[in-house]
Structures are given as structure tokens and as C-alpha cells.
Amino acid sequence: MKNQQEITSIVVLAYNGLEEVTRPCIESILKNTLRGSYELVLVDNASSDGTAAYFEALRAQYDHVTLCLNQQNKGYAGGNNDGMRLAKGAYIVLLNNDTLVPPGWLDRLLGLLKSNENVGLVGPVTNSAGNEQRIEIPGLNESNFEQRIAPYLERQHGQWFTTERLGFYCVAMKRTVMEGVGFLDERFGLGMFEDDDYCIRVRNAGYALAVIEDCFVYHKGSVSFGKLSVDSYRELFEKNRSLFTRLHGTQWSFSDIALGYWEKFNADLSSYRHSVDEANINPAIERVLVRWENFHHLLVQVHRAELAGLSGTGAKESPTIKRAKWKIRWHHFRRNVMRGTWSERRKYVAHIARRLKHRLLPGSAPGGLHPEVQALVSAVPAPAVEMNVVIFPATVDYSYMTQRPQQLANAFADAGYFVIYGTLNHVSDKVDVAQQVRPNLWLVNERYFSHLVHVVHADKAIYYCMWPNNAKHLDYLPYSSLLYDYMDELSLLDLPPDELQRDHQYMLEKADLVTVSADRLMEKLPQSVLPKALLINNAVSREFIKAVEDYEGVADELAPFDGRPVLGYYGAIAEWLDFDLIERLATDLPDAIVVLVGPVSGAVSKRISNITKTHMNVLLLPPRRQLELVPLLKRFDVCMIPFVKNPVTDAVSPVKLFEYFSAGKPVVTTELAECVKYPPIRIGKSPDAFIDEVKRILAAPHNVPNEMLKSVALHNTWRHRVTQIVGVCKAHK
């Protein structure tokens, strides 16, 4: 058996049902789970049908079986907690005894936990569950499910989605999550709601919950609860629902589950809608899409009605209602302002102005200010009123993969500006109102942007729009100068194309200065905009350069490959990577390790998974914060930018290019317009040429840092870029 820290502990709790469910469940685990990769922790809750004797026989037969034989029924939470206390593995799976598992289930279930540190709990899809984990496969039953489900799992390879609740018929977690969050709450007695309670606790600890679309577990469904009388079941349900409400201050409802389904379907429909041209859309799907938003509104009203009918709950406003409010507001904004006629737009803006005036007038709340205004004024320090301010609206979460928006914000802060960086808490930020992240730089939850007029003087403020849809703030934000950053091909932004193009043209006309990241993008500007356009290529931070200079050591992940050449790439792993070239590198250079670091786009997850399985010398590492990349970069022998060449990539100024330069490492890239501008770089105009360049570098007797490359980095810092921007702004004034 593996070291205990590498195994998984599978906890199976039983209470009667030996022949009906427990024995088939255990046999499926033993048959379809790789021996040596797990321990089996069996807990019996005082069964009366011979379950304990069966478990003891298993322990005598298998050395990886651990037992807990309770003298009384301790309920679902109590029994599973006993198993979790005995578990020794790095990962823990709670598996109901009324389930059956197919071959390969455990590896699929754990894959995401091992590759994504932000995920705390994962569950599979199934044939029987009370939420969006349930799927319907025609003709599937417990005798044929392995064969029936296999084609679906193959088509869904690598797919997963986040959710707000998981069914605990099968759930996997890291040991560190269990140690941080604790055990199941035994106050829920025999069962019900302890799984919802645990999901909320895990989410409150900062973890996401995920459903693995290519992992299936057959669930016979509620065998124990099915034996309760209707009255007993209802009494237990209402008792535990009341406990759930008291613990979390929010009401559990069936319509909440329906809205969970809607959000899952909405994500999949959006993915479909963006993957096809409008002319080629499936007519049946189109009939769904044109009714989809109204269906959501109906579900929200059903949800409100259900909560209104639950008297004496003492619950605060439902998170579903809060999310729905913002979805509805966005729907109305898009319908009236972005797509509406001039008359509809004027009426909508007047309506919003009346609401804001009512909310912001002194005396509308205790203390003379609306509570949200008071919260913002209290959170953002007084210097914002006196200093020159730069406001960045929400684009990329500040704490997620440092890119151009965060770099510009940091550089303005270092230059002495008071910087407000908006966030929507999309991925990794967790900002209630405002939060300081470095000197002069504050993150502000974008819902408070309408109140910035209370903390910022307009004559001292620059509004720096990074994406076209940031135009929505122009009517109420305080600013004296408007900057617009044209940083990527518009097709890279996940926004409706017609709205995107319209907002882009509007921002080009409205802006006092247009900063452009690449020559190819500059060529696309209208002649009328060129006099106020400034080329601002991407760059590298002084902080990163210093970290590279100071770091001594070896990245832990790459230590096992000492003596072997490392070909490295970090950044988004998406459609613009040349995966054929990566496979050629792995094949033609079998002694080298090809290291890819970054988040994997869903569109290419299957391709990258196949590559890592086929080529043992391709190593995929999860995304890192910017400075955490330094140990990896220092170990790279060759830094790569293996992009396919097309109009999109030809207009990209890779941030990583200047970071590679800062380490003095040899860089090999495909023939991209923004890379060929720098003579020290190695250009591979074809796959063969790219591989030849890599081989020439590896054949050199000794690779020492290239001082010319380091010099290029030192002359292309974000501080230099901000100095350019500020100089042009002052000249225009």
C-alpha cells in the first residue's frame, strides 16, 4: 500500500440493508477501485441483520479494511464522523452504502481536488439525487449502468461545474478541509440537512464545491429514510430544516434547488450560444433561449412565494434573492440601455437617477447617509479625498493571475496615486466593501462604485476603463480624465459581440487618451482616434525583477527532474496554445521535461489531459500567484511562447515575455508580431524551426543569464509605462 498520506480513505456507513445494498456496494468498491490506493473504513450503526459480522469477515480478509462497530445508531452525521476520525488518508470520501461504483471512479473523483486548491468538496453525477447532480440516461439500471454510462462519461471528459450544495451519497474532500471545517453536525440526528449545513461551512471557509461531470456513481436512493412513515419523515424534515435556519440565518427551500438547476443550465446554454454563430443555432435551442430569462424570473417569484409561506423562520434575505436582484438589474440595464431606443434609454436612466437620489439624500438613513455610503466612507481612508486618484473598474479579480489591469494599478500606486481597483469577487477576491492590498491601493466592491462621489474629488480623478463594457459607470463616476485601454482583440472578451463593438466605438470617441497594447491593435484604430492613442506594450514589474534576482533554490515540483532540461511555459492554457507543437517537443526531446503552468480552459481540457497521459514528460502544474512563478522560472532552461499564429495572437503583447527576459533566460516563440520586435529572442517560424531553436539552446555548453535580455526587461517596466501615460496626460492638459 502507498504511504498513508497518499491514499484515500473511503468511509462507508451502514445501518441494516446488508443484502439489499451494503454487500453490493462493498463488492463494487473492491472490484472497481485500485488496490493499494485506498483504505476502506467501515462503520456499522448497530445493525440487526448481520452487517457487523460481514464487516468483521472483511477485516479478516483484507489488510486495508478498518472497522467501527457502534452499539447504538448514532445517525448519519455521528456514524460518518466516527469513520472520519479513523481515516488516515490525505483524501476522504463519504460513500453511502446504497451506491455502486464503476471502474475508474475514484481517480476521476479526486482529480480536481488534486489539481485545484480552491475546491474543497467534489461529488459525482448520479441517477438519483435531489439537485443538479442527477442525470437521466435512458434504460440505465443497477445491472447495466457501467456500460450505459460509459459513452456519456467519455463525452464529458474533464468537465466540471461549481454548485452551492452537494448530495452526500458520495462526496470527496481533502483532509485539510475536514481539519479546518470540522466534522458533520450531529445535532441533525438520524439525518437530513447535515449535508447542506456542511456545504455552507465549507463555502464559508473559502472553498468552492464542484460536481465532476465525467464521474458517475449509481445511487439506489434513500433506502433508510424510505422505511420511515410519512409522518415520521415529515417531522424529522421540519425539525432539521428549523435547525438549519437557526444555524445559518437563511431558509432552505425546494425552489432554491430549482434555481440551482437553472444556473447550471444557464451556464451550459451560454457556452453553447457563444460556440455557434447565430445563423447556425439549433432552432429548438433558440426556442429555449428566447424564453430563458422569463423562466428565471418566474422561478425567482416562486422562490419568493415559498419563503413567504414559511412563517416564523427568522431568516435573513435569501442569497438566491440577492443574486437574482443583480441578475434582474443587469437584464433591465441591457434591455433598456444597451439595446433600447433613445426613449427607453432616457426613461431608464431617469428611473435609476430617482432611485439613487432617494438612497443618497442626507437623512435617508441614520447618520445622514445611506448605510452603503456610510460603509464606503468608513472603509476608504481620507487620503482618497486629497490625492490624485486612478479608478480601475472590475475586470480580472485582483488576486487572480496578475495581468495587465493589476500591473497598471500597482504601478500607479507605486507612482504616488491613490488607486481604487474594482472587483466583482468573480474568482478569488473576497471584498465586502473595501480592502487595502498594498500602499495606496484599495480594492472596492464594484457594487459601491455609485457611492465613490462621496470619497473622491472629480477634479483629481482619472477613470481608466480596461474593457468596453466599463462604459456603464461613466454617468455617475467622479472623474476629470477618461482613459480607455485597448488591450486585446475584442473577440477574446466574453461579451455579446454587438454590444461589445458598440461600447468599444463609444469609448474610443469618449476617451481623452486611448492606450493600446500592440501594434496590430493600433493599426485597427480609426484615423480620428490616432492623435490621442498611445502604444503601451505590456511590461514587467520591478518587484518581479527583484524577486528573480534574489531567489536562490530549486522549485519543489521540479526537484525530481534534476539534471534534465526543462522547457517551460506559464500563463493561460487555452485555444491559442499550439498543442501539436507541444506534443512534437515532448516526442522529439524525450529527455526534456515540458512544464505547463496555469489555468486550463474548459475548451481544451480534454486535449491537455490526453497529452499529459500520452507523454510522461509533459508536466501540468496549477496556476500560481505572480511571485510564486519565480522558483519555476529560475529552473526553466528554455522559456517558451508556443502560440498558434493567427490575427488574435498577432495582436497579443505577452506579459510573460518580459518576465522571461528578467531572468535572462533564452526565449523561443512562434512568429508573433509583438515578439519579433525584440532581437535577442529566438523565433520558430515553423514547428521544425521552433524545435531546432530549442535543441540549439540545449546543446550549448553552459547557459548563463543573457545580460542583453535582462537589460530589455529593465527598460520595459510597468513604472516606465505609467510614466509615459502620465506624461501624455499632462501634455494634453
Side-chain angles (χ1 to χ4, degrees):
M1 182 177 287
K2 294 182 180 179
N3 181 289
Q4 293 285 8
Q5 294 306 310
E6 299 176 2
I7 67 169
T8 299
S9 299
I10 303 173
V11 178
V12 179
L13 170 67
Y15 174 67
N16 291 329
L18 173 59
E19 300 303 332
E20 182 184 3
V21 291
T22 305
R23 190 189 299 273
C25 173
I26 301 301
E27 289 177 352
S28 76
I29 297 171
L30 295 173
K31 174 187 175 185
N32 294 324
T33 314
L34 180 65
R35 182 76 177 273
S37 67
Y38 72 102
E39 65 167 349
L40 189 55
V41 182
L42 302 177
V43 183
D44 180 51
N45 254 349
S47 298
S48 59
D49 63 351
T51 297
Y54 171 64
F55 281 1
E56 287 177 329
L58 288 171
R59 179 172 60 179
Q61 184 178 358
Y62 298 102
D63 59 4
H64 65 301
V65 171
T66 301
L67 289 192
C68 175
L69 303 179
N70 290 329
Q71 299 305 305
Q72 61 181 9
N73 188 344
K74 300 175 70 172
Y76 181 87
N80 274 298
N81 285 346
D82 288 340
M84 293 164 76
R85 291 186 183 97
L86 291 173
K88 302 181 183 69
Y91 301 92
I92 297 169
V93 176
L94 303 183
L95 184 68
N96 278 13
N97 67 326
D98 60 351
T99 59
L100 299 171
V101 299
W105 73 284
L106 189 58
D107 287 341
R108 294 192 188 104
L109 190 65
L110 298 181
L112 185 62
L113 281 181
K114 294 179 178 180
S115 64
N116 192 321
E117 61 184 15
N118 296 320
V119 175
L121 297 179
V122 299
V125 294
T126 185
N127 58 295
S128 178
N131 66 350
E132 63 270 30
Q133 290 176 262
R134 177 170 179 163
I135 62 174
E136 298 288 344
I137 302 296
L140 182 143
N141 57 49
E142 64 182 276
S143 300
N144 66 14
F145 78 93
E146 292 184 17
Q147 294 75 33
R148 287 278 185 175
I149 199 64
Y152 177 84
L153 300 184
E154 177 63 27
R155 291 192 296 271
Q156 301 302 323
H157 180 74
Q159 295 297 316
W160 60 278
F161 62 94
T162 57
T163 185
E164 293 201 351
R165 68 186 75 213
L166 286 169
F168 272 34
Y169 60 90
C170 176
V171 66
M173 70 187 77
K174 302 168 188 171
R175 169 173 289 279
T176 51
V177 171
M178 181 194 74
E179 292 171 344
V181 175
F183 296 104
L184 301 176
D185 194 330
E186 297 184 21
R187 286 176 290 181
F188 288 98
L190 289 178
M192 284 194 279
F193 291 97
E194 68 285 291
D195 49 358
D196 293 290
D197 167 78
Y198 203 77
C199 287
I200 288 180
R201 288 158 56 194
V202 171
R203 294 205 319 271
N204 289 344
Y207 295 99
L209 315 183
V211 177
I212 311 300
E213 197 80 65
D214 65 354
C215 179
F216 179 91
V217 168
Y218 189 88
H219 186 205
K220 298 183 182 180
S222 301
V223 172
S224 297
F225 289 127
K227 295 176 181 178
L228 293 175
S229 68
V230 174
D231 289 342
S232 296
Y233 182 94
R234 183 176 298 155
E235 180 181 356
L236 180 62
F237 179 89
E238 294 301 338
K239 174 187 174 184
N240 284 358
R241 176 154 70 173
S242 296
L243 173 59
F244 176 85
T245 299
R246 291 198 304 272
L247 289 175
H248 299 291
T250 185
Q251 184 58 257
W252 186 97
S253 69
F254 288 105
S255 52
D256 228 346
I257 298 174
L259 282 156
Y261 269 100
W262 184 90
E263 290 182 354
K264 162 62 177 162
F265 297 157
N266 187 52
D268 288 336
L269 282 169
S270 297
S271 176
Y272 170 80
R273 180 165 41 194
H274 293 146
S275 67
V276 298
D277 296 331
E278 187 171 348
N280 297 321
I281 197 167
N282 182 289
I285 298 296
E286 185 176 27
R287 293 195 296 272
V288 174
L289 290 173
V290 295
R291 296 172 173 85
W292 192 237
E293 199 65 44
N294 287 334
F295 177 57
H296 178 237
H297 293 171
L298 174 63
L299 285 178
V300 171
Q301 297 309 313
V302 170
H303 185 66
R304 289 179 184 273
E306 184 180 4
L307 294 187
L310 297 169
S311 59
T313 64
K316 59 189 177 184
E317 185 176 47
S318 159
T320 302
I321 295 296
K322 288 182 179 178
R323 289 196 309 276
K325 282 182 179 178
W326 288 101
K327 286 181 180 292
I328 291 170
R329 286 170 182 167
W330 169 242
H331 170 73
H332 288 311
F333 176 84
R334 186 173 55 189
R335 178 179 176 182
N336 290 284
V337 176
M338 300 175 72
R339 298 174 180 170
T341 64
W342 169 249
S343 175
E344 289 170 334
R345 191 178 298 122
R346 182 169 54 83
K347 289 179 181 178
Y348 180 80
V349 170
H351 166 70
I352 294 299
R354 286 194 299 271
R355 291 190 61 183
L356 286 175
K357 182 178 180 181
H358 173 73
R359 296 178 69 181
L360 301 179
L361 276 176
S364 62
L369 291 175
H370 186 277
E372 287 189 355
V373 180
Q374 188 61 56
L376 184 63
V377 171
S378 301
V380 178
V385 178
E386 302 301 330
M387 295 174 65
N388 290 323
V389 177
V390 183
I391 302 170
F392 288 87
T395 49
V396 184
D397 275 15
Y398 181 83
S399 58
Y400 177 74
M401 284 189 66
T402 306
Q403 298 175 52
R404 183 177 175 98
Q406 301 104 310
Q407 294 283 21
L408 283 169
N410 291 340
F412 269 104
D414 292 343
Y417 286 79
F418 191 97
V419 176
I420 292 172
Y421 187 99
T423 179
L424 291 171
N425 298 324
H426 268 317
V427 179
S428 54
D429 289 348
K430 294 177 176 62
V431 181
D432 291 331
V433 181
Q435 172 189 338
Q436 186 174 15
V437 290
R438 61 191 292 153
N440 294 341
L441 199 159
W442 286 75
L443 305 188
V444 173
N445 190 315
E446 197 172 271
R447 66 173 289 189
Y448 290 88
F449 261 37
S450 60
H451 308 315
L452 284 177
V453 66
H454 294 273
V455 295
V456 173
H457 285 323
D459 59 350
K460 291 179 174 291
I462 295 171
Y463 179 39
Y464 205 151
C465 284
M466 308 302 290
W467 285 351
N469 65 325
N470 294 152
K472 60 180 175 283
H473 300 301
L474 294 181
D475 290 334
Y476 59 80
L477 269 184
Y479 68 89
S480 59
S481 296
L482 174 62
L483 276 60
Y484 173 51
D485 194 50
Y486 185 17
M487 63 176 170
D488 278 315
E489 275 283 352
L490 297 182
S491 60
L492 288 176
L493 299 180
D494 188 17
L495 297 168
D498 54 341
E499 300 171 8
L500 189 61
Q501 189 62 42
R502 185 189 62 213
D503 289 344
H504 174 64
Q505 294 300 325
Y506 178 73
M507 291 304 303
L508 290 177
E509 296 169 8
K510 187 82 172 174
D512 298 302
L513 176 67
V514 177
T515 54
V516 186
S517 67
D519 291 338
R520 292 288 190 267
L521 298 180
M522 186 72 82
E523 293 169 4
K524 294 187 175 186
L525 291 179
Q527 287 294 319
S528 60
V529 177
L530 289 176
K532 60 178 182 180
L534 176 65
L535 181 65
I536 297 292
N537 288 137
N538 284 325
V540 60
S541 70
R542 292 182 176 181
E543 184 181 23
F544 190 90
I545 293 174
K546 187 176 188 308
V548 170
E549 291 175 346
D550 293 346
Y551 182 79
E552 298 290 342
V554 178
D556 293 340
E557 299 91 336
L558 302 184
F561 308 112
D562 186 36
R564 298 179 65 177
V566 175
L567 318 179
Y569 165 87
Y570 62 73
I573 299 170
E575 298 88 335
W576 47 81
L577 275 186
D578 189 337
F579 293 105
D580 291 336
L581 175 56
I582 291 169
E583 290 202 84
R584 281 281 309 277
L585 285 164
T587 301
D588 291 6
L589 298 166
D591 292 333
I593 303 298
V594 180
V595 178
L596 308 174
V597 188
V600 178
S601 163
V604 302
S605 59
K606 185 172 182 178
R607 179 72 190 275
I608 196 66
S609 176
N610 289 337
I611 289 174
T612 55
K613 289 176 181 177
T614 305
H615 302 279
M616 301 307 293
N617 60 335
V618 177
L619 177 64
L620 175 65
L621 296 177
R624 310 294 167 92
R625 294 179 185 273
Q626 190 194 31
L627 295 183
E628 293 172 349
L629 294 166
V630 170
L632 298 170
L633 174 58
K634 291 294 287 276
R635 178 61 181 85
F636 290 174
D637 294 291
V638 180
C639 298
M640 303 188 299
I641 304 179
F643 288 179
V644 294
K645 182 176 171 60
N646 58 36
V648 172
T649 57
D650 230 19
V652 168
S653 173
V655 174
K656 64 184 69 60
L657 175 64
F658 302 98
E659 294 171 355
Y660 289 168
F661 285 168
S662 71
K665 298 283 185 175
V667 181
V668 182
T669 177
T670 46
E671 193 179 13
L672 307 176
E674 288 300 317
C675 293
V676 299
K677 298 194 298 187
Y678 301 95
I681 209 168
R682 309 285 190 100
I683 305 297
K685 294 185 178 181
S686 67
D688 288 337
F690 192 103
I691 293 169
D692 287 344
E693 290 292 348
V694 172
K695 288 180 177 178
R696 275 193 282 272
I697 293 169
L698 296 181
H702 182 62
N703 287 324
V704 296
N706 186 315
E707 294 302 322
M708 184 182 297
L709 291 174
K710 293 171 71 174
S711 176
V712 172
L714 287 169
H715 287 86
N716 285 275
T717 66
W718 288 108
R719 185 63 181 273
H720 284 114
R721 303 295 190 248
V722 166
T723 300
Q724 286 179 272
I725 294 169
V726 171
V728 172
C729 286
K730 289 180 178 178
H732 282 188
K733 285 189 176 181

